[in-house]
Amino acid sequence: MSASFETWRDRFERLRAHKAFELTVITIIVVSALLIGAKTYEEEVSPFQEWLLLLDTAVTVFFLVEILIRMAAEKRLRDFFKRGWNVFDFLIVTASLIPLDDSEMVLLARLLRIFRVLRLVSMIPELRMLIAALFKSIPRMGYVALLMFIIFYIYGAIGSFLFASVDEKLWGNISLAMLTLFQVATFESWATAVLYPTMEHYPYAWIYFLTFIFLNAFIFLNMMIGIVLDVMQKESIQVQLESGEGEAAELHGLRNDVRALSDQLARMEAMLGRRGE
C-alpha cells in the first residue's frame, strides 16, 4: 500500500510539474474569466444560460481536481499549506464551490468567482515576483506617501488662504484645496480648470502650481518608482538564486567556488607549515 501510494504521489508530482498541465490550468483560468465577463451581458447570453452554468460547473470541478492533484503531490499534506500562494489557491477554489443555483447565495457566489482570475498570479512566476515586490515596497513607499501628504497639506493650506476668493468650490477650505491639488497632480484638465482661472486674479500663481508639480510629479513619483524597481531587482536576484539560473546565480556560484578554493589553500598552507616545523 505504501509503495502504491508513493507511486501515485510521484505521478501526481510529475503531472504538477509538467508544462502542459500548467498551461492547461492557465487556459482554464482565462476561460473562467471570460465566463464571468459573459454573464454581465444578461440579455445577450440568456439563451445560453444553461450552457454557461454547465461550463461554470465544469471549470469549478477542474479547479477542484487540480488543487487535489497538487495536494496529493506533496510528501506531507501540511507542506502544501506552508506556501502562501497554495493557501490562496485553496481558499479561492473552496469559495468557488458555493452553488450558483441558490437564490440567497447567488450574489456571493458570483463575487467569489471573480477572484478566480487572481489565480493567474499564483500560476505565473513573473506575476508572483511583481506582487511580492509590490507588497515589500509598501512599507518604504509609506514614508514617501507621508511626505507627499505633508506637502499636499501645506500647499492646500496656502491655496485655501490665497485663492479662496477665486473659486470657493476649488479652494473654499483645506480639504477642497487638497482635492484640487490632487487633480493638478494627475494633470487632468488642470490648466484650463485650475491654473488659468487662478492666474486671471493672481498672475504669479503659476509659481505655486509649478513648484507643487515639480515636487510631486518629478520627485516623489520618481522616488516611488525607484523604490519599486529596487525591490523588484532584489526579488529577481532572489528568484535566480533559488532557481540556480541567471547571472546572479552564476556570480553566487563563483563566490562559493572562490571561497572553497581559499579555504583549501589555507588548509594546504597550514599543512606545509606543520611539515616545515
Side-chain angles (χ1 to χ4, degrees):
M1 179 64 71
S2 177
S4 176
F5 176 78
E6 289 294 328
T7 302
W8 279 103
R9 189 189 62 79
D10 292 338
R11 291 177 180 176
F12 286 140
E13 188 174 2
R14 289 195 298 270
L15 178 61
R16 180 187 62 178
H18 203 281
K19 287 294 182 181
F21 180 74
E22 294 182 357
L23 290 176
T24 302
V25 175
I26 292 174
T27 302
I28 297 299
I29 293 173
V30 174
V31 171
S32 174
L34 295 177
L35 287 175
I36 295 171
K39 291 177 182 178
T40 61
Y41 300 92
E42 295 184 358
E43 296 181 359
E44 289 83 351
V45 301
S46 55
F48 309 99
Q49 196 68 34
E50 294 183 1
W51 286 100
L52 290 177
L53 182 60
L54 182 62
L55 285 173
D56 183 84
T57 303
V59 169
T60 302
V61 171
F62 176 85
F63 284 149
L64 179 60
V65 172
E66 180 256 340
I67 203 75
L68 290 175
I69 289 174
R70 289 169 55 189
M71 293 171 67
E74 297 289 344
K75 293 182 179 180
R76 294 174 297 181
L77 183 60
R78 63 174 178 268
D79 292 340
F80 177 83
F81 295 99
K82 287 182 179 179
R83 290 187 288 272
W85 287 112
N86 289 343
V87 176
F88 173 80
D89 288 343
F90 180 81
L91 293 176
I92 293 297
V93 173
T94 304
S96 299
L97 296 178
I98 299 177
L100 285 173
D101 54 355
D102 188 354
S103 59
E104 295 182 356
M105 302 292 291
V106 63
L107 179 59
L108 178 62
R110 286 181 177 179
L111 290 175
L112 291 175
R113 276 163 169 74
I114 295 174
F115 291 99
R116 292 195 302 203
V117 183
L118 291 176
R119 293 203 59 205
L120 281 174
V121 178
S122 64
M123 295 301 302
I124 302 177
E126 288 77 8
L127 292 181
R128 292 201 302 267
M129 185 185 69
L130 289 176
I131 295 297
L134 176 61
F135 279 103
K136 290 183 179 180
S137 302
I138 289 176
R140 294 168 61 183
M141 292 171 63
Y143 294 106
V144 180
L146 178 60
L147 184 58
M148 288 180 64
F149 174 79
I150 294 173
I151 298 299
F152 265 81
Y153 191 85
I154 293 173
Y155 272 81
I158 295 173
S160 63
F161 293 150
L162 295 178
F163 309 135
S165 59
V166 177
D167 193 337
E168 284 285 338
K169 295 181 180 180
L170 296 179
W171 308 100
N173 53 57
I174 192 169
S175 59
L176 292 175
M178 292 177 68
L179 188 60
T180 302
L181 289 174
F182 183 80
Q183 178 184 354
V184 174
T186 59
F187 300 109
E188 182 63 30
S189 304
W190 74 277
T192 56
V194 181
L195 175 63
Y196 295 148
T198 306
M199 287 184 62
E200 291 179 0
H201 298 79
Y202 299 92
Y204 293 100
W206 60 270
I207 299 175
Y208 170 87
F209 290 104
L210 290 186
T211 54
F212 174 79
I213 290 174
F214 179 80
L215 287 173
N216 285 277
F218 299 112
I219 295 181
F220 295 137
L221 181 60
N222 287 326
M223 289 174 66
M224 291 279 194
I225 296 173
I227 290 172
V228 175
L229 290 177
D230 180 59
V231 175
M232 285 182 61
Q233 184 179 11
K234 292 179 180 177
E235 283 294 309
S236 177
I237 293 174
Q238 185 65 30
V239 170
Q240 291 179 10
L241 291 177
E242 292 177 356
S243 63
E245 300 177 353
E247 184 178 355
E250 293 178 359
L251 290 175
H252 184 70
L254 287 174
R255 290 194 187 99
N256 290 335
D257 293 341
V258 171
R259 193 177 295 111
L261 288 173
S262 298
D263 294 339
Q264 187 175 0
L265 288 174
R267 289 194 299 268
M268 292 176 64
E269 289 177 355
M271 292 175 60
L272 291 174
R274 286 195 297 269
R275 289 181 179 179
E277 294 176 357

